[in-house]
Amino acid sequence: GNSVTQMEGPVTLSEEAFLTINCTYTATGYPSLFWYVQYPGEGLQLLLKATKADDKGSNKGFEATYRKETTSFHLEKGSVQVSDSAVYFCALRLTGANSKLTFGKGITLSVRP
Amino acid sequence: NAGVTQTPKFQVLKTGQSMTLQCAQDMNHEYMSWYRQDPGMGLRLIHYSVGAGITDQGEVPNGYNVSRSTTEDFPLRLLSAAPSQTSVYFCASSWAGELFFGEGSRLTVL
């Protein structure tokens, strides 16, 4: 079946540190890949996405590259801020699967001043 | 823009009680869905709808019913609440593959 695996959390970093959050996937077809972010007390919102191999999604200083050879979509940011503290979810959607997304378990990021 | 609106934001139920979580969207999206979020489990799809009059089961549908009489509304019904249904529930609508989430409804079943 289709699944998304995220690294175990939580993650605590100091402001301006480099961030990597690992995400790997298993899919029967050719999925689109997403990162969603959930700020405290809010619903999820799309952070970035990539729809085919080697695509790079980027937004708000975050980047992730769709790596088909390693079935990965790792999230990176060069310098995190306190305002980046949130829960991050990796997700996939198969082509033709309407809008059904399969989510990873999420990882909590806390950034210290 | 209101986007996706969920009510109530918080609810406490006793085992066996029934209730309906309301979800409305004003973006004219055909696709709507309900997820539950539990610690260490991520988001799991309960039910979804690809348009008015059409609903289908997701990953964890047991204990929940849905209907879709209009494009705008997609209520989630718990007919006989159980403690295992204590969770945070999110409604979402979708356009071009992107999900737009409501702010969530936190349900506690005692």
Side-chain angles (χ1 to χ4, degrees), chain A residues 34 36 38 41-46 49 87 89 93 97-106, chain B residues 31 35 37 40-43 45 48 50 57 90 94-104:
Chain A
F34 304 82
Y36 278 81
Q38 182 181 28
E42 299 182 10
L44 283 73
Q45 55 186 275
L46 180 65
K49 67 180 180 182
V87 183
F89 293 91
R93 177 175 61 89
N98 290 310
S99 293
K100 290 173 63 177
L101 265 67
T102 300
F103 285 89
K105 293 183 178 182
Chain B
Y31 183 93
Y35 288 85
Q37 182 181 23
M41 302 292 287
L43 274 78
L45 181 64
Y48 66 98
V50 299
Q57 296 180 349
F90 287 98
S94 177
W95 181 81
E98 178 180 346
L99 290 179
F100 297 84
F101 285 85
E103 294 186 345

Side-chain angles (χ1 to χ4, degrees), chain A:
Chain A
N2 305 312
S3 65
V4 175
T5 302
Q6 294 184 231
M7 59 184 281
E8 294 287 329
V11 173
T12 302
L13 296 174
S14 296
E15 202 165 26
E16 299 184 1
F18 184 85
L19 169 71
T20 300
I21 300 177
N22 290 341
C23 171
T24 58
Y25 67 89
T26 302
T28 54
Y30 298 97
S32 295
L33 300 173
F34 304 82
W35 277 100
Y36 278 81
V37 59
Q38 182 181 28
Y39 298 105
E42 299 182 10
L44 283 73
Q45 55 186 275
L46 180 65
L47 179 60
L48 53 85
K49 67 180 180 182
T51 58
K52 62 182 186 296
D54 299 325
D55 269 1
K56 177 185 285 187
S58 61
N59 186 26
K60 299 182 180 181
F62 291 89
E63 291 183 341
T65 301
Y66 188 145
R67 302 286 188 198
K68 185 179 177 183
E69 63 276 13
T70 55
T71 62
S72 64
F73 193 54
H74 304 323
L75 183 68
E76 297 182 337
K77 186 174 185 181
S79 176
V80 293
Q81 305 300 312
V82 172
S83 58
D84 294 326
S85 298
V87 183
Y88 292 82
F89 293 91
C90 186
L92 68 82
R93 177 175 61 89
L94 291 181
T95 303
N98 290 310
S99 293
K100 290 173 63 177
L101 265 67
T102 300
F103 285 89
K105 293 183 178 182
I107 186 169
T108 300
L109 170 67
S110 298
V111 181
R112 299 186 298 247

